[in-house]
Amino acid sequence: KARLYSKSKYKTWMHTPEALSKHFIPYNAKFLGSTEVEQPKGTEVVRDAVRKLKFARHIKKSEGQKIPKVELQISIYGVKILEPKTKEVQHNCQLHRISFCADDKTDKRIFTFICKDSESNKHLCYVFDSEKCAEEITLTIGQAFDLAYRKFLESGGKDVETRKQIAGLQKRIQDLETENMELKNKVQDLENQLRITQVSAPPAGSMTPKSPSTDIFDMIPFSPISHQSSMPTRNGTQPPPLPSRSTEIKRDLFGAEPFDPFNCGAADFPPDIQSKLDEMQEGFKMGLTLEGTVFCLDPLDSRC
């Protein structure tokens, strides 16, 4: 079960499940930025990130730059960060990648969350000034995470382990097919060698006709084109080697095409979707930690 940790201050959810499942909850905030952190969780981790980004913003503010405003859209599909006027999506943080969320319990303005980046797989800490709504936004993200995990289980997350077993079987089938093809190639090579031996000319001065080569059971080896072995050579040259068997469509020992468990039914998913399900399962297993803490520890942090 997903671990959704919460402090005593978080007792009830803020919104109806339908509001987060069928729509999204919008919030306006100022975006202080994001920075890489070493750990997916921890109050000290986010506190250091907040200090770093606040200091950077103070420098930019002294240069005349304003803190950019953003719109947050929170739903079971993630936390989107948009430009308020154009609605252009700047960041899209999926909930199973968010591992830690905290707000400042003193001034109710600063909140932050840690999200694992989908491309670099690095943990990034996002920091916002929410105009006294920090606690509500944190709680909304927690509720969205809880609903998303339940939806994940209802829509097939329980079958992830089954799909892993199917993937293992598919890998085993592929290994057997490879081994089968290697054996076929070895048999083909042996047939070619035996065929060359059968049609080779007798030694000079020898009048004794050469008898066909036999195996350990004193039997002539079977060859699908053995009727050609009696054909004389031309100008003492050997006939061309046997053409290799077509491998365009791989088949097993019984002539059947290999079984593909990912294409055997409408309820199965291809490997790329399964890898996504595995990723979501691991993210939800890690859980989301909600915390109320203190970020404003000195005069520098008192205002953004």
Side-chain angles (χ1 to χ4, degrees):
K1 185 178 180 180
R3 294 170 289 178
L4 181 59
Y5 302 107
S6 61
K7 297 300 183 180
S8 58
K9 64 187 243 183
Y10 300 121
K11 295 180 180 180
T12 59
W13 293 129
M14 300 291 298
H15 310 281
T16 63
E18 291 74 16
L20 288 164
S21 300
K22 299 181 180 180
H23 308 282
F24 59 83
I25 307 299
Y27 290 97
N28 293 319
K30 294 180 180 179
F31 186 31
L32 275 67
S34 63
T35 184
E36 182 182 352
V37 293
E38 296 296 328
Q39 301 296 328
K41 296 178 182 287
T43 302
E44 290 300 323
V45 174
V46 295
R47 181 178 287 128
D48 291 342
V50 170
R51 282 176 170 272
K52 177 180 178 180
L53 290 173
K54 278 191 170 185
F55 182 76
R57 280 299 168 189
H58 274 291
I59 295 178
K60 292 184 178 181
K61 187 176 181 179
S62 65
E63 297 174 349
Q65 298 184 27
K66 294 183 178 180
I67 301 176
K69 295 181 180 180
V70 295
E71 177 182 328
L72 299 175
Q73 293 182 356
I74 304 173
S75 70
I76 62 172
Y77 300 103
V79 179
K80 289 184 179 180
I81 304 172
L82 302 90
E83 204 285 325
K85 294 182 179 179
T86 64
K87 302 299 180 183
E88 179 184 357
V89 178
Q90 299 177 351
H91 303 276
N92 188 9
C93 303
Q94 296 173 311
L95 291 174
H96 68 275
R97 290 181 169 272
I98 299 178
S99 54
F100 191 86
C101 190
D103 59 85
D104 194 325
K105 65 182 181 181
T106 55
D107 66 2
K108 311 292 184 182
R109 294 162 54 254
I110 301 299
F111 83 94
T112 177
F113 62 80
I114 298 176
C115 180
K116 189 176 183 180
D117 184 69
S118 59
E119 296 183 359
S120 65
N121 280 332
K122 296 179 179 179
H123 297 287
L124 301 178
C125 183
Y126 295 79
V127 181
F128 304 85
D129 182 336
S130 60
E131 298 295 336
K132 309 296 181 181
C133 294
E135 181 178 347
E136 180 179 339
I137 296 176
T138 299
L139 188 56
T140 301
I141 294 176
Q143 182 181 5
F145 183 96
D146 183 66
L147 291 172
Y149 177 67
R150 295 176 187 274
K151 185 176 179 65
F152 173 73
L153 292 180
E154 293 171 359
S155 62
K158 294 179 180 178
D159 297 330
V160 171
E161 292 300 326
T162 301
R163 293 193 182 95
K164 285 183 178 180
Q165 295 177 6
I166 292 176
L169 291 175
Q170 186 193 43
K171 179 64 167 59
R172 177 59 177 160
I173 290 171
Q174 291 175 345
D175 292 342
L176 291 174
E177 284 295 323
T178 301
E179 183 180 353
N180 182 27
M181 186 56 61
E182 291 175 352
L183 290 174
K184 285 183 177 181
N185 292 335
K186 289 181 180 179
V187 171
Q188 184 69 64
D189 292 340
L190 289 174
E191 288 179 352
N192 288 339
Q193 294 176 11
L194 289 172
R195 179 177 176 279
I196 293 173
T197 304
Q198 291 172 12
V199 299
S200 61
S206 174
M207 301 301 294
T208 305
K210 184 175 180 63
S211 60
S213 301
T214 58
D215 58 18
I216 59 175
F217 300 104
D218 199 29
M219 299 183 67
I220 298 176
F222 169 76
S223 174
I225 56 173
S226 58
H227 62 279
Q228 296 180 357
S229 62
S230 60
M231 295 176 59
T233 60
R234 297 181 180 178
N235 299 327
T237 61
Q238 300 297 336
L242 288 173
S244 60
R245 297 180 180 178
S246 174
T247 58
E248 292 181 0
I249 301 178
K250 294 185 178 180
R251 298 179 181 275
D252 59 19
L253 291 172
F254 303 100
E257 294 185 19
F259 170 68
D260 186 352
F262 290 108
N263 293 324
C264 64
D268 296 314
F269 293 96
D272 57 337
I273 295 182
Q274 172 166 335
S275 64
K276 182 66 175 179
L277 289 172
D278 292 342
E279 175 197 321
M280 292 179 69
Q281 185 186 48
E282 292 302 317
F284 283 126
K285 275 185 177 180
M286 178 179 290
L288 171 64
T289 302
L290 303 182
E291 267 194 19
T293 185
V294 178
F295 297 133
C296 300
L297 300 176
D298 52 45
L300 179 64
D301 287 337
S302 60
R303 295 295 300 173
C304 294

